[in-house]
Structure formats: structure tokens, C-alpha cells
Amino acid sequence: QVQLVESGGGLVQAGGSLRLSCAASGRTFSTDTMGWFRQAPGKESDVVATITWSTGTTYSADSVKGRFTISRDNAKNTVYLQMNNLKPEDTAVYYCARRRFGAKEYDYWGQGTQVTVSS
């Protein structure tokens, strides 16, 4: 079992910043990939950014490149998503998730945290 707990969401004006945290516990592995996803009302969930615990290799969606940064603190088993220059279109519920090495799907998800960006 893996537990993922997100925090850090909230209401912010356009151009502002937020930092999301995802604390992982339970049966995690250094080769796991952690991902941040978001789902806006009426839309499908999209991947925002991913990072691997062991190597720190990252991926960011084009829509957030240059504005969002994913990072991790291995000692704290925590993944972060620093979001700068937020736009109203970034409004969504943000989820973190875990994917085992070699797996195609993410198998554990957090409960989500709401991010609302006002114009």
C-alpha cells in the first residue's frame, strides 16, 4: 500500500504562485515515478509534470513549461510542484500519483487539492 497526501492548494490571483506538496508513505521504491496531474471541471485529467525519485529525471507538459517546476526531497519522501505565473486556465484539482518502474499506469493516487486562479 502507498499513501499519497497532497497539500498546498488554494485561491490565488493570476500571476501569483503556489507550491503543492505530495507526501508519500508506505511501499515506495526509489525507481518509482511520481506524477502531478490536474483535472478541470468537465475535462479529462492531464499530466502536468513527472519526476523519478532516484535520478530526478523530470518531464513537464508544454502548457506549464517555464512556469511550473517539479522537484523532490528524497529524505522527506515528498514531491513538490512549484507553480509560478499562474493563469486562470490552471484552475483544476491537482493530484499526485505513483507509477512503478516498467508499469504503464499510475497505481496510487492522492485525494487531490484544489487550485483556483482568479483573473
Side-chain angles (χ1 to χ4, degrees):
Q1 284 282 357
V2 173
Q3 294 78 42
L4 302 174
V5 179
E6 301 103 333
S7 61
L11 173 64
V12 65
Q13 288 189 332
S17 298
L18 285 173
R19 188 177 80 155
L20 305 183
S21 300
C22 172
S25 61
R27 195 168 168 79
T28 61
F29 302 90
S30 64
T31 52
D32 290 346
T33 293
M34 301 298 294
W36 282 103
F37 292 76
R38 65 186 181 186
Q39 186 166 24
K43 295 187 178 181
E44 294 187 353
S45 176
D46 291 324
V47 61
V48 175
T50 67
I51 190 167
T52 303
W53 285 116
S54 57
T55 64
T57 302
T58 62
Y59 160 84
S60 294
D62 287 343
S63 58
V64 305
K65 279 181 180 177
R67 300 188 300 121
F68 291 10
T69 302
I70 189 170
S71 62
R72 91 283 194 214
D73 184 332
N74 292 53
K76 295 183 178 180
N77 255 21
T78 300
V79 176
Y80 303 98
L81 186 67
Q82 178 66 44
M83 305 186 295
N84 297 329
N85 190 22
L86 282 159
K87 303 176 180 180
E89 52 263 42
D90 295 318
T91 296
V93 179
Y94 284 70
Y95 300 88
C96 71
R98 189 281 299 262
R99 178 168 59 87
R100 290 290 307 275
F101 177 77
K104 293 183 178 180
E105 303 294 331
Y106 286 78
D107 56 353
Y108 285 95
W109 295 76
Q111 82 286 355
T113 186
Q114 176 70 47
V115 171
T116 303
V117 185
S118 62
S119 56

